[in-house]
Structures are given as C-alpha cells and as structure tokens.
Amino acid sequence: MKPVPLSLFTTGIYGYLDFVLIGWTLGLVWLAVRALVTAKGSFAQKVRAGLDDEVFLFGGWGGDARAAVGGWMFLLSVVLLQFDMFFMNSLVRELDLPWYSFLAPCLNSAYSMFLILKTVLFTRYSGRQLAVAYCFFFVFRWVYLNNHQYWFVMALFYMLAAKDAPLRRTLKAGLVTSCASFLAVVLASSAGWIGTLSELWDDGRMRNSFGYGWYNLTGVIVLALCLMYVCLRQVRNLKWFDFIVLAAALVFCNEGPASRAAVVCLALLIALTLLLRFLPGIARPVWVRALVSAAPVLALAASLLGSWLYTPDNALLVKLNDIFTGRLYLANKALSETSLAIAGQGLWDADYIVDNCFANLWIYAGPVASVLLWGAMAALLWRLMKKGAVTESACLVVMLAHGFMENHVIWPCVNVCLWLMPCVLFLLPKERVGDFAPDTGAPQTAF
C-alpha cells in the first residue's frame, strides 16, 4: 500500500480530520473574540471568561435542543459503526451483492460526518477545554498523516465526540445493534447463506469463524458484546444468570473460533466481576487504585521490555512467547528492523505484523502519541476508580490485557470505555467523570 498524497480536503478520513482541524481552529479564535467583545470587566476577567465559560462554538443558536441533537448524533454514529463492523465486516462482503457496494462507503461517511458535526457544532466547550483537546487532536492528526492507521484516528474521533453524550442510552442502542448484527452473521453462516472459515486441529477439534474473516475477529466481537453487557448491567447488579451468560460466551469462544485472546480475557472478566460483586471493598485501598491506574503504563513497559529482551535462549521469555502465540518474537523482529519515529511512521513494505497493541503503537504511532494515549488511559482509570466506577475500570483492564495479543483496544466499536475519555481529554471536573451506570439522581459512591 502506498502513502496517500497529502493535501487539504483530500478524500476520506484525511478530509474529516481537516474539517475538525479547521472547525476547532476557528472555534478557538471565535471563543477569544467573543470573550474580548462580550465579557465585562478588566482584560484579565475577559480572559478568564473565555477560558471558563462553556458555550457552543459559533453562537448559541438552538440552545439545549442543540445539545440534545448532538447526543443523538453520537448515538447514531455508534449504531452505524457497530452495524458496519459487526455485520458489513463479515464474509457477507464476499457475496457481491449490489446493495453492499453502495451501502458500505455510505456507512463510513455517515458515521464520520455525525462525529464531525457533533464535535464542531453540537458540543459546548470552554476555551480551556478546547485548547487542551486541540493539542491532543493536533498530535494524533499529525501521527495519522504519517502512519495511516484507521483505528488509531477513529478512536480519537469517538473519544472527542463522546463529550456530554448520553452514554448509557448510546450503550443500549449499540448493544442491541451489535447483538442483532452478530446473530445475523452467525445464523447466516450456519445456514450456509454466507461463507465461513474453518480448520481441523490436530486434536480433532474444528475451528469455525462463524461468518467472519478471521477467528480472532469472531472472538473479539463476543468479548465486546460481553463488555457492553457488563457495563450496562453494572457489577453491583449482576445475578447468577449474568455469570451464566458470560460463561456461555467463554465456552462458545473456546469451542467455536478458539480465539485464545478472547477466551483468556473473558475468563479475566468473569474473575474480576465475581471479585468485585462479592468483595466490593477490595477496590477501596489507595494502593489498589494506584496499581489499577498504572496498568496501561505497566502493560506498555512489559510489552516493550519483553519484546526487546526476547531471545530463543531465554526460557522464561520463550514460554511467555508461546503463551502469547508468538507475539514477543514478532514484536522483537519489528523493533530490531525499524528505527524509532517520534511522529509515527507507515511501514507498508514490512514483512512482519505486530499484534501486540502496545508495541504496535510504539512503532507506528511513535513514543509521543503512545505516551499520550496510555497516559490518558491511566488517568481515566484513576478517575474512574476514585469515583467508584469499578465496572468500567474492570472492563478497561480486560481490554488492556487483550492488547497484549491484539490491537482491538483502540477500536471504539469493541472498547466502549474509550467513550469515557472526555473527562481526561477536556480536563473535566470530578463530578463530570462519565460512566454507564443508570442515573438514579444520587452520585456514585466515591472511594
């Protein structure tokens, strides 16, 4: 694959990034002018008003209705993304159906445009919030222009657009769409209407992708459905039948697609939810919160050190490499054959793949973006744990564990905890740390 020439308003996601860049740049100028012209008091008071007053960009037309429309835009973008990834991304694409070639690019454009409009015109910002998020966006846009990794920048879009969106309502719609899409693919492949992948293992067991293009994709979709289900139900409300559902999903993943990463992470999800359900006080000590919050940084360090130090002579690392099905060897090969690129790089002629997400982003996105992303996730975990949002914290930890073997931790259709990132990217106060818990009118118990 050759790099796409760069120019303003190029096709596809390059143009989408340009729209947000221009919109937010003009928005910052508009906020500054608005504060100087309309705010009362001294110059310092005008500056403080511009930094602290949370308003819509380019005028207050629409009022609260505008915010509501923005919420629906985010919901529709999620629904379209889930349908696109969980149904359109199956082997239905191999059928050469006329409607497929028309619908597929329309879906991508539709959910991207909803995100752009929500981000630029249908979200309130203060000057301080927009300036902080703008820096994050600028770095990630710069890196994307170098590495062209689709999910890297789509994660950014959803993290930014989720600000002030109705997360629980969106999660419900996303879960329904995801389940319906997944069941449609599984049933269609079982009926023979669409193709599937299968292979017979040496132990006589048959591996089946159930209508998707790879076994691990089927596994991570099941994992995503379980994570959404747990986030919707919340750990404190889980009953015996919820654990039966999760156990059934684990058995399906093990006996069907036989995706090791998904099976291990489902087992981890069950273990964490059981622990938090019956021993809720275990998450209260500060040292536990600190350890959980450090998980993204520790995972990054472990991935890089394990990959750099891997040799066939090290029995421990060889064993870990076997457990992670060759991920240490692959990352070691990649790290030894590439140079470090501060602002990311696209290695289109590389003869290796890097499935470990932490090593992958270090190579392709560079150290600056990697530190920003994993540092932001660490800050998110700290704020979630401090709030008492243990359900979302556990689900994010599970996705970080999945990142040792796959790159789906940055897929917003899989890792819905990315929708919680605005509290970090916009430096929102503690009372605005988002979660998926039902709104009971009372704040969640903080630790």
Side-chain angles (χ1 to χ4, degrees):
M1 183 186 299
K2 295 182 179 179
V4 179
L6 305 183
S7 63
L8 192 62
F9 298 120
T10 51
T11 58
I13 206 164
Y14 293 91
Y16 305 154
L17 286 164
D18 291 337
F19 280 124
V20 176
L21 178 68
I22 292 171
W24 272 13
T25 302
L26 295 176
L28 284 168
V29 174
W30 183 86
L31 285 172
V33 172
R34 176 185 178 276
L36 293 175
V37 172
T38 63
K40 298 179 181 180
S42 65
F43 179 76
Q45 290 172 323
K46 291 175 182 282
V47 171
R48 281 196 295 272
L51 289 175
D52 298 333
D53 290 349
E54 204 166 333
V55 297
F56 289 113
L57 301 182
F58 313 117
W61 48 271
D64 290 340
R66 188 169 162 190
V69 170
W72 284 108
M73 284 183 171
F74 184 74
L75 184 148
L76 287 172
S77 73
V78 167
V79 167
L80 293 177
L81 177 69
Q82 301 306 110
F83 175 72
D84 191 21
M85 290 300 107
F86 290 6
F87 181 80
M88 300 290 284
N89 195 36
S90 70
L91 292 179
V92 70
R93 65 178 179 267
E94 304 293 333
L95 298 181
D96 257 352
L97 300 170
W99 57 265
Y100 184 92
S101 57
F102 168 78
L103 184 59
C106 292
L107 283 172
N108 182 274
S109 298
Y111 61 71
S112 297
M113 286 303 169
F114 280 134
L115 292 174
I116 292 169
L117 290 172
K118 166 70 172 68
T119 302
V120 176
L121 296 177
F122 290 88
T123 304
R124 290 185 176 96
Y125 304 104
S126 68
R128 193 188 315 275
Q129 291 171 359
L130 191 58
V132 171
Y134 184 94
C135 295
F136 196 96
F137 170 81
F138 190 86
V139 171
F140 272 54
R141 177 185 178 275
W142 182 16
V143 170
Y144 176 74
L145 295 181
N146 291 329
N147 69 13
H148 305 170
Q149 286 196 349
Y150 176 81
W151 289 112
F152 177 79
V153 76
M154 287 308 297
L156 173 67
F157 270 131
Y158 276 90
M159 289 189 294
L160 296 174
K163 184 179 186 293
D164 301 332
L167 297 180
R168 185 170 176 83
R169 183 180 72 189
T170 303
L171 180 66
K172 289 179 181 178
L175 179 57
V176 170
T177 305
S178 301
C179 287
S181 300
F182 177 70
L183 287 175
V185 171
V186 170
L187 293 175
S189 69
S190 299
W193 298 337
I194 65 174
T196 191
L197 297 181
S198 61
E199 63 177 277
L200 184 65
W201 283 9
D202 293 338
D203 60 4
R205 191 167 48 146
M206 181 66 72
R207 194 182 194 191
N208 192 335
S209 75
F210 288 98
Y212 290 95
W214 190 242
Y215 310 101
N216 288 344
L217 178 59
T218 310
V220 80
I221 289 175
V222 176
L223 176 62
L225 294 177
C226 291
L227 291 171
M228 286 188 275
Y229 178 79
V230 169
C231 284
L232 189 63
R233 289 283 295 148
Q234 293 288 298
V235 163
R236 64 179 176 272
N237 300 323
L238 293 179
K239 308 296 183 184
W240 60 269
F241 56 84
D242 295 307
F243 292 105
I244 289 179
V245 169
L246 296 177
L250 186 151
V251 172
F252 172 82
C253 268
N254 187 60
E255 299 301 321
S259 172
R260 184 180 302 183
V263 170
V264 170
C265 288
L266 282 169
L268 178 61
L269 178 64
I270 293 171
L272 289 177
T273 51
L274 279 169
L275 192 64
L276 292 168
R277 175 66 178 85
F278 297 106
L279 293 173
I282 198 170
R284 295 183 187 277
V286 174
W287 70 269
V288 174
R289 285 156 36 198
L291 183 61
V292 171
S293 302
V297 179
L298 293 175
L300 172 63
S303 297
L304 294 180
L305 284 174
S307 301
W308 272 323
L309 298 175
Y310 173 80
T311 65
D313 300 326
N314 189 312
L316 175 60
L317 292 178
V318 168
K319 182 63 176 177
L320 288 174
N321 185 60
D322 291 339
I323 292 174
F324 292 122
T325 59
R327 265 56 173 188
L328 291 182
Y329 164 76
L330 292 172
N332 175 268
K333 177 177 171 63
L335 288 168
S336 62
E337 294 183 9
T338 60
S339 57
L340 193 63
I342 296 298
Q345 59 189 323
L347 304 172
W348 293 278
D349 297 326
D351 62 347
Y352 51 77
I353 57 174
V354 188
D355 285 331
N356 179 300
C357 189
F358 306 97
N360 181 291
L361 291 184
W362 185 265
I363 294 169
Y364 289 96
V368 175
S370 293
V371 170
L372 276 176
L373 177 62
W374 304 122
M377 284 198 185
L380 174 61
L381 277 167
W382 173 256
R383 303 195 74 183
L384 288 173
M385 291 290 287
K386 191 173 182 180
K387 180 181 181 179
V390 294
T391 302
E392 294 79 2
S393 302
C395 290
L396 184 50
V397 167
V398 169
M399 281 308 306
L400 290 170
H402 194 264
F404 278 105
M405 298 182 70
E406 299 288 342
N407 287 300
H408 301 102
V409 65
I410 60 170
W411 287 29
C413 55
V414 171
N415 184 9
V416 295
C417 293
L418 293 176
W419 307 353
L420 308 176
M421 197 66 82
C423 70
V424 175
L425 303 187
F426 295 97
L427 299 183
L428 300 181
K430 61 182 180 181
E431 61 270 14
R432 294 179 62 183
V433 175
D435 57 50
F436 298 110
D439 186 5
T440 59
Q444 224 171 329
T445 303
F447 291 153

